[in-house]
Amino acid sequence: MNVPVLVLVISFVVLLLINVPVAFCMGIATLLAFLVMGAPAFVAVAHNIATGIDSFALLAIPFFILSGLLMGHGGIARRLIDFANVLVGRFRGGLAFVNILTCMLFGAISGSATAAISSVGGFLIPLMNKMGYHRDFNASVTITAATTGLLIPPSNVMIVYSLATGGAVSIAAIFMAGFLPGVLMGLLLIVVSAVISIRNNYGQEQGEVATFVETLRFYALLLASLLVVNFALACFYPLLAATLRILAWASAGIAKSLGYDIETSRSLPSGATWIRVALWGLAGLVAWVVEVKVVWRLASIKAATITYLRAVPALLLVLIVIGGILLGWFTPTEASAVAVLYAFILAVFVYREVEVSELPKILLQCGVTTSVVFMLIATSVAMSWVLASENVPQSISAGLLGLTDNGIVLLLLINAILLAVGTFMDMTPAVLIFTPILLPIVERIGSEMWGDHGDSRYALYFGIILIMNLCIGLCTPPVGTCLFLGCGIAETTVTKVMRHIFPFFVAMIVALLICTFVPQISLWVPDKLGFLK
């Protein structure tokens, strides 16, 4: 190891051990390394920091942070909890299942694990305590389930990974790759919580356990109800499209009257269009009448469907963002701005949970969070530049490949390294630093084990493996952000929680190993959507 790298590593570790914030650890260590290299240190560090965050794609991060904050303050979590309770609350240990499913939904909407813990855990952990669930079990469920939102898009860390690959992986592709791994991890966490709940008789106090026949009948009727409701809602899409077309035409006319030269092919909807709108609207009204007069005769189905309708506006955010990207309506960065607008309308005007007077506080919180994230990105890029200039990625790659030719052993070793890294380093710097080091190794292993396809599939595959490893790190000491936040909300200690959280670690590691050795779990959705062609 040459002197600049030695100085970089030693200074970083020493600063980390004396509790200096990670961003400053990386910045100071990089500065010292530049001094040893004989470069104009302050100029070089400033240049790398500035260029590190000079990326259009990174604009999506503050927008997604702001949309997550608006959703968190806008009463979204409570409506998602009610909807999740309808779906899985009938089983033994149902509140644990509700917790996990809500964290998956809310994490996907907000893109933040800590926001999921604060919003979902702040409501469900006290309720689970009251219902007889063990306090440390409740904290363990929330802490681990919150990380699934980092895999289910949209996710800020996926944007950072796209940046770390130098654009080799598109944001849309990595978004799609995270769906199935996130769902798999959530399902395995549900299995673990079910076993623990049955063993400890959690959930029996509230009389929530139904027989198999009752459960089957309920879900059959609920499915029928939701199909009718969704058909009725879909029937009004032509009316929405026609209304938006009128607004676009009017906006273009106003802009032209003000002297702006705007080229547009928009025109008013034709008579045939309005006939289609009327026919679909009539079909929607008929479906709604059937729903109200026939299906809603059962009170339980009526209540469940109304709960779903209350949650639909929140669930539509993911559909709008991901659907808009896939259909080419907007780029991922533009999608983040659309998410802010939608979340603002939802929180302020639809749910009316956020007052206008609260917006400055939310914007300030967004600014602080964004500053922290961008500081981590900037200093990580500067440190990565030092490592690259000293050929550290090539040296590590040669060293690992020299240990063994067995791809399975190498993948296990890489997972072990990333698990260790996740315990002491935040996700953002870990992604930016270790992607250029380990990605070439994984691409070579993938080509040898599963064939060279001449596309970015193994970069996508490694991105999901990297994020899954770092998600586990968020739940482990000494740095685990989710672990400490969850313990604070549950009013317990890390020492007590660690004994209860271990089975959930096992589930997360099993999910990691499955995704490691079955790449199609990560690649199937992007492949079907054409991102690998």
Side-chain angles (χ1 to χ4, degrees):
M1 184 181 293
N2 53 28
V3 176
V5 176
L6 195 62
V7 169
L8 181 76
V9 173
I10 292 176
S11 56
F12 176 78
V13 172
V14 170
L15 291 168
L16 199 63
L17 290 175
I18 60 177
N19 289 327
V20 175
V22 175
F24 292 98
C25 289
M26 292 186 292
I28 295 171
T30 303
L31 178 64
L32 295 175
F34 272 119
L35 287 171
V36 173
M37 293 167 66
F42 291 99
V43 175
V45 172
H47 174 73
N48 279 278
I49 285 176
T51 56
I53 56 176
D54 184 17
S55 171
F56 178 74
L58 290 180
L59 282 174
I61 292 178
F63 282 122
F64 277 130
I65 290 173
L66 180 55
S67 67
L69 289 172
L70 288 170
M71 286 291 192
H73 288 80
I76 308 300
R78 188 174 66 253
R79 289 167 175 83
L80 292 178
I81 288 170
D82 292 340
F83 177 54
N85 189 46
V86 166
L87 295 180
V88 295
R90 300 169 62 86
F91 301 103
R92 173 77 70 191
L95 280 180
F97 304 163
V98 170
N99 194 329
I100 295 170
L101 183 57
T102 307
C103 283
M104 293 171 67
L105 295 172
F106 189 85
I109 290 171
S110 67
S112 170
T114 53
I117 292 176
S118 300
S119 300
V120 179
F123 181 86
L124 272 180
I125 289 178
L127 179 60
M128 293 173 73
N129 293 340
K130 183 179 178 181
M131 291 298 177
Y133 294 76
H134 196 284
R135 182 183 301 272
D136 300 326
F137 167 78
N138 305 338
S140 301
V141 169
T142 308
I143 291 165
T144 52
T147 61
T148 58
L150 299 174
L151 288 165
I152 302 173
S155 170
N156 289 334
V157 71
M158 291 181 175
I159 299 171
V160 175
Y161 178 74
S162 177
L163 172 70
T165 63
V169 170
S170 69
I171 295 175
I174 191 68
F175 275 3
M176 295 303 102
F179 264 119
L180 294 183
V183 172
L184 173 64
M185 185 178 287
L187 290 175
L188 290 178
L189 291 176
I190 287 176
V191 170
V192 170
S193 64
V195 173
I196 296 174
S197 297
I198 292 172
R199 182 186 303 170
N200 294 281
N201 291 323
Y202 291 151
Q204 64 179 359
E205 294 85 355
Q206 62 207 77
E208 58 182 338
V209 181
T211 66
F212 176 78
V213 174
E214 291 173 341
T215 301
L216 193 63
R217 178 173 178 269
F218 173 80
Y219 283 120
L221 292 172
L222 178 61
L223 178 62
S225 176
L226 295 184
L227 287 174
V228 174
V229 166
N230 286 323
F231 174 77
L233 293 174
C235 286
F236 292 99
Y237 173 76
L239 176 61
L240 176 62
T243 304
L244 292 176
R245 187 171 179 177
I246 293 173
L247 290 175
W249 175 83
S251 300
I254 293 172
K256 287 182 178 180
S257 67
L258 294 175
Y260 293 98
D261 186 16
I262 295 180
E263 294 183 6
T264 177
S265 59
R266 296 291 183 185
S267 60
L268 288 173
S270 63
T273 300
W274 286 114
I275 292 175
R276 286 195 298 270
V277 167
L279 291 175
W280 278 112
L282 180 62
L285 289 174
V286 171
W288 187 251
V289 170
V290 171
E291 174 74 16
V292 173
K293 297 297 184 181
V294 179
V295 183
W296 281 11
R297 288 180 178 177
L298 291 175
S300 60
I301 299 301
K302 178 181 178 180
T305 307
I306 291 175
T307 301
Y308 165 74
L309 290 172
R310 289 172 178 166
V312 161
L315 296 172
L316 279 177
L317 177 64
V318 176
L319 182 63
I320 290 171
V321 170
I322 303 302
I325 293 172
L326 294 179
L327 293 173
W329 292 347
F330 32 71
T331 66
T333 304
E334 293 165 345
S336 64
V338 172
V340 171
L341 177 62
Y342 183 81
F344 173 78
I345 294 173
L346 203 61
V348 177
F349 298 109
V350 179
Y351 290 153
R352 297 182 180 179
E353 297 277 352
V354 175
E355 300 290 338
V356 175
S357 59
E358 297 179 56
L359 292 177
K361 180 181 177 181
I362 294 174
L363 291 172
L364 177 61
Q365 188 178 354
C366 174
V368 171
T369 305
T370 302
S371 300
V372 172
V373 172
F374 272 64
M375 188 66 178
L376 288 168
I377 292 173
T379 52
S380 300
V381 171
M383 178 181 274
S384 297
W385 190 92
V386 174
L387 295 173
S389 67
E390 296 298 320
N391 295 319
V392 172
Q394 293 85 344
S395 300
I396 293 177
S397 176
L400 285 175
L401 293 173
L403 290 175
T404 178
D405 293 331
N406 191 313
I408 295 176
V409 174
L410 284 172
L411 287 174
L412 290 174
L413 185 58
I414 289 171
N415 277 323
I417 292 172
L418 292 175
L419 282 172
V421 167
T423 61
F424 67 86
M425 186 176 287
D426 191 78
M427 293 190 80
T428 300
V431 168
L432 289 168
I433 292 171
F434 286 92
T435 295
I437 293 175
L438 298 176
L439 177 56
I441 305 174
V442 174
E443 287 183 322
R444 177 171 172 176
I445 295 171
S447 298
E448 293 176 353
M449 292 182 65
W450 299 298
D452 185 2
H453 297 270
D455 52 31
S456 62
R457 68 179 60 225
Y458 297 122
L460 274 177
Y461 158 76
F462 174 67
I464 299 303
I465 299 303
L466 173 62
I467 294 170
M468 292 182 78
N469 275 286
L470 298 178
C471 283
I472 298 173
L474 288 176
C475 308
T476 58
V479 177
T481 309
C482 292
L483 175 64
F484 290 105
L485 180 59
C487 289
I489 292 175
E491 298 179 351
T492 184
T493 64
V494 172
T495 306
K496 293 179 180 178
V497 168
M498 289 308 297
R499 183 169 62 89
H500 290 79
I501 206 173
F502 181 76
F504 295 95
F505 282 158
V506 173
M508 297 175 81
I509 291 173
V510 169
L512 169 63
L513 292 175
I514 292 173
C515 292
T516 298
F517 296 109
V518 187
Q520 282 306 310
I521 294 177
S522 304
L523 301 177
W524 186 79
V525 175
D527 187 24
K528 294 302 180 183
L529 294 175
F531 287 109
L532 299 181
K533 295 180 181 178

